[in-house]
């Protein structure tokens, strides 16, 4: 991820990449040529986003005790990652499609790429939330864990008396 950021920082800049003043509305910036802005860094931006999703899933896996990282759990996590990457790809490819054709479809009031960003970003987190919520007693804090924890509390309380 650091290499990707370095590559983005060192890549060739394009005119008006930071925007330029809007002709009608003071204080508003317009973006300029979107295809030119993505020409050198678009793929790297997508790769950075993808690696961030991979990192989120890997850190989530690390947050589960090793004894509970079963094949079933790992399949759930890989499936969640695939779903997240699919949504990221849909967002990126819808934007590229708009840039190449200068036409876009709309979904629930937004251009396709924006709809993927708006609805897809939170939607892509749902599988991880479901894995955590529905699998809490199986993968995170089992009845055995709770029993051991209560025993530790009881032991501590008996030592303090």
């Amino acid at each position: 991820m650091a290499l990707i950021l370095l590559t983005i920082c060192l890549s060739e800049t394009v005119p008006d990449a930071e925007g330029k003043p809007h002709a009608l509305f003071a204080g508003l910036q317009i973006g300029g040529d979107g295809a030119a802005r993505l020409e050198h860094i678009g793929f790297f931006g997508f790769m950075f986003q993808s690696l961030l999703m991979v990192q989120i899933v890997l850190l989530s896996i690390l947050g589960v005790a090793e004894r509970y990282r079963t094949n079933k759990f790992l399949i759930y996590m890989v499936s969640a990652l695939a779903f997240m990457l699919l949504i990221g790809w849909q967002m990126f490819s819808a934007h590229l499609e708009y840039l190449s054709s200068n036409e876009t479809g709309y979904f629930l009031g937004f251009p396709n790429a924006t709809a993927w960003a708006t609805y897809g970003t939170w939607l892509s987190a749902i599988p991880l939330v479901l894995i955590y919520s529905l699998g809490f007693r199986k993968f995170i804090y089992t009845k055995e864990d709770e029993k051991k924890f209560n025993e530790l509390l009881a032991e501590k309380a008996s030592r303090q008396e």
Side-chain angles (χ1 to χ4, degrees):
M1 289 175 77
L3 276 172
I4 289 173
L5 285 178
L6 184 63
T7 302
I8 289 171
C9 289
L10 296 176
S11 65
E12 188 176 329
T13 59
V14 296
D16 300 321
E18 70 283 350
K20 54 188 174 187
H22 194 279
L24 298 175
F25 303 105
L28 185 65
Q29 296 282 96
I30 55 175
D33 184 0
R37 285 183 292 155
L38 285 184
E39 181 180 353
H40 303 291
I41 63 169
F43 174 75
F44 296 112
F46 173 71
M47 288 307 300
F48 185 85
Q49 177 190 7
S50 298
L51 286 175
L52 179 62
M53 298 299 119
V54 169
Q55 183 181 28
I56 288 168
V57 170
L58 288 176
L59 290 173
S60 298
I61 291 170
L62 283 175
V64 171
E66 206 170 329
R67 65 187 177 276
Y68 300 132
R69 292 185 210 154
T70 62
N71 287 337
K72 188 175 186 177
F73 171 74
L74 294 175
I75 288 169
Y76 290 154
M77 295 304 281
V78 168
S79 299
L81 175 61
F83 185 63
M84 294 164 82
L85 292 175
L86 174 70
I87 288 177
W89 173 251
Q90 289 296 329
M91 183 174 24
F92 183 65
S93 63
H95 185 60
L96 290 179
E97 185 179 315
Y98 165 73
L99 291 175
S100 66
S101 69
N102 211 21
E103 293 180 14
T104 188
Y106 288 85
F107 180 73
L108 294 177
F110 289 111
N112 287 340
T114 306
W116 279 109
T118 303
Y119 305 124
T121 300
W122 65 266
L123 183 64
S124 69
I126 299 279
L128 289 179
V129 170
L130 288 174
I131 292 167
Y132 182 82
S133 301
L134 300 176
F136 186 80
R137 283 297 191 176
K138 187 171 186 167
F139 304 121
I140 310 295
Y141 189 62
T142 65
K143 295 283 187 188
E144 286 177 12
D145 293 335
E146 185 176 17
K147 182 181 174 192
K148 287 178 187 175
F149 180 70
N150 288 332
E151 288 171 1
L152 284 172
L153 289 177
E155 183 182 321
K156 182 181 180 200
S158 69
R159 274 193 257 146
Q160 289 180 346
E161 292 173 1

